[in-house]
Each structure stands twice: as C-alpha cells, then as structure tokens.
Amino acid sequence: MQETPSLNDIIEAAERIKPYAHRTPVLQSAWFNDQTGAELFFKCENFQKVGAFKFRGACNAIGKLSESEGARGIVTHSSGNHAQAVALAAKLNGYKSTIVMPENAPKVKVDAVRGYGAEIVYCKSTIDAREETAQAIIEKTGATFIHPYNHPDVIAGQGTSAKELLEEIPDLDAIIAPVGGGGLMSGTLIAAKAMKPGIRVFGAEPELADDAFRSLQSGKIEPVLRADTIADGLRTSLGGLTFQIIQTHIDDLVTVSEVSIIREMRNVWERMKIIIEPSCAVPLAAIMDKKVEIGGLKIGIIITGGNVDLGKLPWDDA
Amino acid sequence: MQETPSLNDIIEAAERIKPYAHRTPVLQSAWFNDQTGAELFFKCENFQKVGAFKFRGACNAIGKLSESEGARGIVTHSSGNHAQAVALAAKLNGYKSTIVMPENAPKVKVDAVRGYGAEIVYCKSTIDAREETAQAIIEKTGATFIHPYNHPDVIAGQGTSAKELLEEIPDLDAIIAPVGGGGLMSGTLIAAKAMKPGIRVFGAEPELADDAFRSLQSGKIEPVLRADTIADGLRTSLGGLTFQIIQTHIDDLVTVSEVSIIREMRNVWERMKIIIEPSCAVPLAAIMDKKVEIGGLKIGIIITGGNVDLGKLPWDDA
C-alpha cells in the first residue's frame, strides 16, 4: 500500500519545484461574480509550465529521485499533459525520459513531447499495450516509472497549487476542482483540509465520465464506461491511493453535462480572455448550474490547463 | 487646431480613470524570448474593461466633461471596441449614450453595446451616413461627440497604458504598438518619450492597411485603400492630430503580412494561453519577422484587446 502524503510532503514539494515551476496567478472575473453571487478566484494552471498543473507533480516526483535513480532514466505512458510534464521535468533535472505513446497520438502532442527532449516509443492504443511497453523499458533499463496520478509524490506536487491559492486567498470558504484520475483532487484535499480545517472541497466530473461519482456511491473503484466527454483530461478512472484520499476527505462530488462544459469554457474565453481546456470548465459548470451551494461565498477554482487544439474547438460543430 | 496632449495630461488621465479602469498585468513568455533573443513585456489590454485599451480613452474623455455637458449625453459612431468603451464609460459616469452603428453590424457587437446601457441608432454602412446620423443627434440633443482617436482627451487616456508599462518596467529600450487611427500610438509616443528620453517607439501596420506608412512617406494623411486585413481594429486612417504627433515622434513604422499576423496571433494563444485580437499580433509579427532591430533589448508590446468572434477564427479556413 502506498503511503498517503501529508501537508508536510506538499510543503517539501513546493520547495522542491520552486526553481522550475511558475507560481501561477489568481484571477477574478467581475462577470462571473455577477452571474453567481459569489466571489470566484481562478488559480490559473493554464499558465503553468507545459500549460497544465501536471508539471507540478511530475517535477516533484522526478526531483525526489536519487542521482543514481535519475541516471537510469524516467518512463511513463501518456498522450496528454502528463507526457509533456514528465519530459520537461526530466530534462530540467538532467535526466533522460522515455514516453510510451499510442501510435495514433496526435502529431502536435508527439512533437511537443519530443520538443522537450524525450524519447518516444510507440505502442498499440490499448491500456494493456501501454503498460506492457513501459514495463519492458523498465526491465531493460532500470528506469523509474512515474504514474500520472496514483503516486504519493505526484499527489504532493499537485497539492502545491491549492497551497499557493490558500496562501494568496486565506479566507476561501471552499475550493472546487475537476476529478479525472484524482491526483489533483487528492493533493487539493490534503493541502486544503490541513491548512484550513472547515474549508469545503468539492469535486466535479462530466456526466459522461462519472466514474468517481459512482465509485463514491458503490464504495469501490468503478471504471470509466465511455471515452467521449469533451473534457479529455477527465477520461481516467481513480487509482487505489487517490480513491482512498477522495473517499475520506471530499465534501461533495457532482456531475455536469457536456453542454454546460462547452458553454462555460466559451464564457471563460470570451469574458476572461484566457484559454482553458474543457476540463477546467467542469467545476465552473457545476457552479453556474447550481450543483454546489456557493451563494455569497469565496470559492477557489483550480483552472487545470490550457492545452487545446485551436484548429478544432468544441463549438465549431454547433 | 486641437491641442497636443502632454505627459501631464496623461498623468491627469491616469488619476481620472483609476476608479473605473483596470491596471492591466504585464506578462512575459519564455518561448517568445527564446525565439527573438530579446526580452518581451506584454502589456495586456485584452484584460482591460470591455476587453480593449479603448476604455481608457473613452473613460478619460467622458470623465472630463462637466455635469451639464454629461447630462446632455454622449454620442459616437463605431461598430468596434470604441462603441463598447463609450457605452460603458458613459454608464459608469451616470450619463446617457447613443451609439450610431451600421445596420449590418454583427449582432454580438450590437448586443454588447446595448448590454452596457447605450441606445443604438442604425444607419447605412458608409462613413458619410455615420457622421450625418451622429451630427443629427448632436444638433437635436446637444450631446457631446467622442471621436475614437482624433481627440486630445482620448489620446491622453490611451497614453496611460504606456505610462503604467514604463512604471512597471522602467528599463525598457523600446515600445512597439499597432497603428490604426493613431490614438494609441499618439498616447504611447507622448508618454514614453516624456517619461524616458531616448526610448525608441515603433509602430506596426498590416501591409493591407499601410496608410500610416504611406502618410509618413508622402507627408500628408493617406487613406486606407482596402478593408480586408484580418486586423479589423487597424482598418482606419490617421486623423490630423494623431498624424502630427506620430510624424513628430515615431522612430520607425513597419508593415507585416497577413500570414505573419495570423501566425503570431495563434502563437500567442498557444504559447501564452491568452486571447488576443488579430491587431495585437501585428507588432509581434514585426518583431518575429525581424522588421525592427531588437536583439538583446527589453521591448514593451501593447496588447490592444481580446475581442474575437470565437465562432470564426482566422485559421479556420486554413
């Protein structure tokens, strides 16, 4: 069983990633405050290195490796933000990284990972193929595998975002974040509940990827049943460690429709002039659709990333 | 002849608009620094009220009116950012505004102006019809006309952006901004040259709307010959006052291609995760295409606005 990270681990993670990661800005929006009757504080990880919070976790996990571990290299499988995060964090630490990617991964993502100096190994587009390919590399090279979320050091790294947010806005009543594999939500829960007992922490998921919602109801990890939500960062099931942390600490977890996700993504682009991924709009959709009670409160929202294919926007087909 | 505003007018404008306007952030981008070998500082007026620097000028001009002038109302003709700027600045000052708009103005722009509480009067889509319609309203109501750029108080207001930028980054070697009607460039020139003698100030225009470039060559105001540049904020000719200020003070004015404008607009969206209008990408295109000499220097770029039709992006047809 992996050990649950503590606030102290998050404080150490913050020190460890400080030379590499941005302290991202916290933005407000008069328009969203007006619409919601609350005060919203947007913690903008879309401005983080590689354009997503994932850099925090990868940077912390890789930074914790010994010289000799690092010298044997890093490996992960991902076609998303975690791939870029591992590639850049490895490079900044002077280590070699290998990213296992499905052979149908979009060229723009492959190029981005290669641009950070990683080696790419292609495999078939199944979870089994990815894991087997990564395992073969580990056995051959002794490289360290960095899981995208079910990893205490990754979780501690992701928790540094909520830590910074609470340092900047100490009187928040609640924080809301999306739930995919649960790494961000786990780190957020640990940081927020330890720094400010009594604060409420909400999770939000697409209705089309409501595995965490169902897992909390059934008491065991439920799989994602389909992979067609626009919120591509949230098509992942929980891991054992993240499920346990979320189950223990979360105040509520709600689901939102695709229509609401696309609407709030566009509202942020139009009103705030910042580029956010669909996943970021999920907590905002929960707020705007009144799935969580926030009237008059001060609410932090973790804006997870800004990596979007600008040639194919969700409202182009509308 | 209208009087040229001074740095003192800009300082007074800054005080006057302070309760209403945002002090916009200055962002940097490691990627653009890497690409250019310079240090670029983006003054982000896309985060300004109404999403554009135009709010500064309108707010200053309207704020300077006497109570009795204001009570007779404000009028302007515009289908762009100036229309929204006047509508909101009038509302915040408690005055009535009337915006003359062409009958084919996009509904989204009409709705935005109406949303700020302005009355809209439609006219035919010609300059003559706009001016006649505005003149008729002035004669009937005694309303004050606020020109979008050829107006000393508007110019002084626009100059507050460069003033803030130089306060935040005092050791800039140069500032570059786009040139449309010349209000922003005039205010930038007055602020920068008075605050920091020796600083260089560059203008940039689309090749397809190179009227200011031709005006500087011929020594008289040349009209825009066509209206099809993607940089819709820059399809305007200079006015008498802005031409005189630009002619006196500007260090260089360069032109850039449509391809470069669209490329740099997309680069900013992808790399910086902020939404900018095509007009903002014009100075950046000049830098990336090496039309101005900036190697090793600290360069301020005025990012003019972020109002874009998200349903129709310039790269959608590519």
Side-chain angles (χ1 to χ4, degrees):
Chain A
M1 188 68 193
Q2 290 175 302
E3 207 173 327
T4 302
S6 65
L7 176 60
N8 204 46
D9 293 316
I10 294 172
I11 291 168
E12 285 176 18
E15 279 305 308
R16 192 171 292 118
I17 70 174
K18 200 174 178 183
Y20 307 111
H22 293 308
R23 190 176 178 102
T24 51
V26 178
L27 301 185
Q28 289 198 262
S29 159
W31 188 82
F32 277 110
N33 288 350
D34 219 47
Q35 295 288 311
T36 57
E39 253 189 291
L40 304 185
F41 297 87
F42 297 78
K43 175 67 171 167
C44 287
E45 295 300 317
N46 51 337
F47 297 140
Q48 187 52 267
K49 292 266 178 78
V50 314
F53 76 90
K54 292 275 185 184
F55 181 70
R56 295 175 181 268
C59 194
N60 184 52
I62 291 170
K64 263 189 90 170
L65 298 179
S66 69
E67 286 279 328
S68 66
E69 285 171 322
R72 290 194 295 274
I74 321 292
V75 65
T76 196
H77 54 77
S78 163
S79 58
N81 291 332
H82 180 64
Q84 294 184 51
V86 166
L88 179 60
K91 181 186 171 190
L92 293 173
N93 279 278
Y95 302 146
K96 186 174 167 306
S97 68
T98 308
I99 314 292
V100 175
M101 296 183 93
E103 54 200 5
N104 60 354
K107 184 174 177 300
V108 56
K109 301 217 166 184
V110 174
D111 288 347
V113 169
R114 191 175 282 132
Y116 291 123
E119 186 185 340
I120 292 163
V121 173
Y122 292 99
C123 69
K124 291 208 183 303
S125 175
T126 66
I127 282 285
D128 283 353
R130 290 188 190 198
E131 291 181 350
E132 281 163 25
T133 310
Q135 192 55 42
I137 295 166
I138 293 164
E139 281 164 19
K140 188 174 150 202
T141 62
T144 301
F145 180 73
I146 307 285
H147 193 279
Y149 50 88
N150 205 47
H151 185 309
D153 301 333
V154 170
I155 290 171
Q158 318 305 29
T160 59
S161 180
K163 173 178 174 286
E164 289 176 9
L165 174 57
L166 270 167
E167 283 165 356
E168 191 159 337
I169 319 289
D171 55 347
L172 286 181
D173 299 296
I175 296 179
I176 184 164
V179 181
L184 176 70
M185 178 49 73
S186 295
T188 301
L189 282 164
I190 293 164
K193 296 285 183 178
M195 288 174 74
K196 190 171 183 189
I199 195 170
R200 281 180 287 165
V201 178
F202 302 115
E205 265 187 336
E207 286 168 6
L208 295 189
D210 65 344
D211 58 291
F213 180 82
R214 286 182 284 108
S215 300
L216 288 176
Q217 290 202 312
S218 73
K220 62 182 172 48
I221 297 173
E222 302 287 347
V224 178
L225 298 176
R226 42 197 287 186
D228 52 354
T229 173
I230 185 77
D232 54 341
L234 308 179
R235 292 174 190 154
T236 325
S237 305
L238 299 176
L241 182 57
T242 57
F243 177 53
Q244 175 230 309
I245 296 168
I246 292 172
Q247 197 180 29
T248 308
H249 294 292
I250 202 165
D251 288 279
D252 199 6
L253 194 154
V254 299
T255 63
V256 297
S257 72
E258 297 293 296
V259 168
S260 294
I261 295 168
I262 295 170
R263 185 192 65 222
E264 296 315 326
M265 177 177 167
R266 186 164 182 163
N267 272 334
V268 168
W269 286 42
E270 287 189 341
R271 302 289 173 169
M272 298 182 68
K273 313 296 181 194
I274 62 172
I275 291 184
I276 65 166
E277 301 176 348
S279 303
C280 311
V282 170
L284 198 54
I287 289 174
M288 294 286 275
D289 287 352
K290 300 192 193 313
K291 300 277 177 109
V292 286
E293 284 284 334
I294 59 144
L297 300 183
K298 290 194 169 188
I299 314 291
I301 302 180
I302 315 263
I303 296 296
T304 50
N307 293 328
V308 178
D309 180 353
L310 294 176
K312 194 176 177 326
L313 297 176
W315 46 80
D316 282 349
D317 309 323
Chain B
M1 189 68 193
Q2 290 176 304
E3 206 173 329
T4 302
S6 65
L7 176 60
N8 203 45
D9 293 317
I10 294 173
I11 292 168
E12 284 176 19
E15 279 305 306
R16 192 171 292 118
I17 71 175
K18 200 175 177 181
Y20 307 112
H22 293 308
R23 190 176 178 103
T24 51
V26 178
L27 301 185
Q28 288 197 262
S29 159
W31 188 82
F32 277 110
N33 287 350
D34 221 45
Q35 295 288 311
T36 58
E39 254 189 290
L40 304 185
F41 297 88
F42 297 77
K43 175 67 171 168
C44 287
E45 295 300 317
N46 51 336
F47 297 141
Q48 187 52 268
K49 292 266 179 77
V50 314
F53 76 89
K54 292 275 185 184
F55 182 70
R56 296 176 180 267
C59 194
N60 184 51
I62 291 170
K64 264 190 89 170
L65 298 179
S66 69
E67 286 280 328
S68 66
E69 285 172 320
R72 290 196 294 274
I74 322 292
V75 65
T76 198
H77 54 78
S78 163
S79 58
N81 291 333
H82 180 63
Q84 295 184 50
V86 166
L88 179 60
K91 181 186 171 190
L92 293 173
N93 279 277
Y95 302 146
K96 184 174 169 305
S97 68
T98 307
I99 314 292
V100 176
M101 296 183 93
E103 55 201 6
N104 60 354
K107 185 173 178 301
V108 56
K109 301 219 164 182
V110 174
D111 288 348
V113 170
R114 191 175 282 131
Y116 290 123
E119 186 185 340
I120 291 162
V121 173
Y122 292 99
C123 70
K124 291 209 182 304
S125 175
T126 66
I127 282 286
D128 283 353
R130 291 188 189 197
E131 290 181 351
E132 281 163 25
T133 309
Q135 193 54 41
I137 295 165
I138 292 164
E139 281 165 19
K140 189 174 150 199
T141 62
T144 300
F145 180 72
I146 306 284
H147 193 279
Y149 50 87
N150 205 47
H151 185 309
D153 300 334
V154 170
I155 290 171
Q158 318 305 30
T160 59
S161 180
K163 173 179 175 286
E164 288 175 10
L165 175 57
L166 270 167
E167 283 165 357
E168 191 159 335
I169 319 289
D171 56 346
L172 285 181
D173 299 296
I175 296 180
I176 184 164
V179 180
L184 176 70
M185 178 49 73
S186 296
T188 301
L189 282 164
I190 294 164
K193 296 286 183 176
M195 288 174 75
K196 191 169 182 192
I199 194 170
R200 282 181 286 166
V201 179
F202 302 114
E205 265 187 335
E207 286 168 6
L208 295 189
D210 65 344
D211 58 292
F213 180 81
R214 286 182 286 108
S215 301
L216 288 176
Q217 291 202 312
S218 73
K220 63 181 172 48
I221 297 173
E222 302 287 347
V224 177
L225 298 176
R226 41 197 288 185
D228 52 354
T229 173
I230 185 76
D232 54 341
L234 308 180
R235 292 174 191 154
T236 325
S237 305
L238 299 176
L241 183 57
T242 57
F243 177 52
Q244 176 229 309
I245 296 168
I246 291 172
Q247 197 179 28
T248 308
H249 294 294
I250 202 165
D251 288 280
D252 198 7
L253 195 155
V254 299
T255 62
V256 297
S257 71
E258 297 292 296
V259 168
S260 294
I261 296 168
I262 295 170
R263 184 192 66 223
E264 296 314 326
M265 176 177 167
R266 186 164 183 164
N267 272 334
V268 168
W269 285 42
E270 288 189 340
R271 301 290 172 167
M272 298 182 67
K273 312 297 181 194
I274 62 173
I275 290 183
I276 65 165
E277 303 175 348
S279 302
C280 312
V282 171
L284 198 53
I287 289 174
M288 295 286 275
D289 287 352
K290 303 192 192 314
K291 300 276 179 110
V292 286
E293 283 285 333
I294 60 145
L297 301 183
K298 291 194 169 188
I299 315 289
I301 302 180
I302 316 263
I303 295 296
T304 50
N307 292 328
V308 178
D309 180 352
L310 294 176
K312 194 177 178 326
L313 297 176
W315 46 79
D316 282 349
D317 309 322

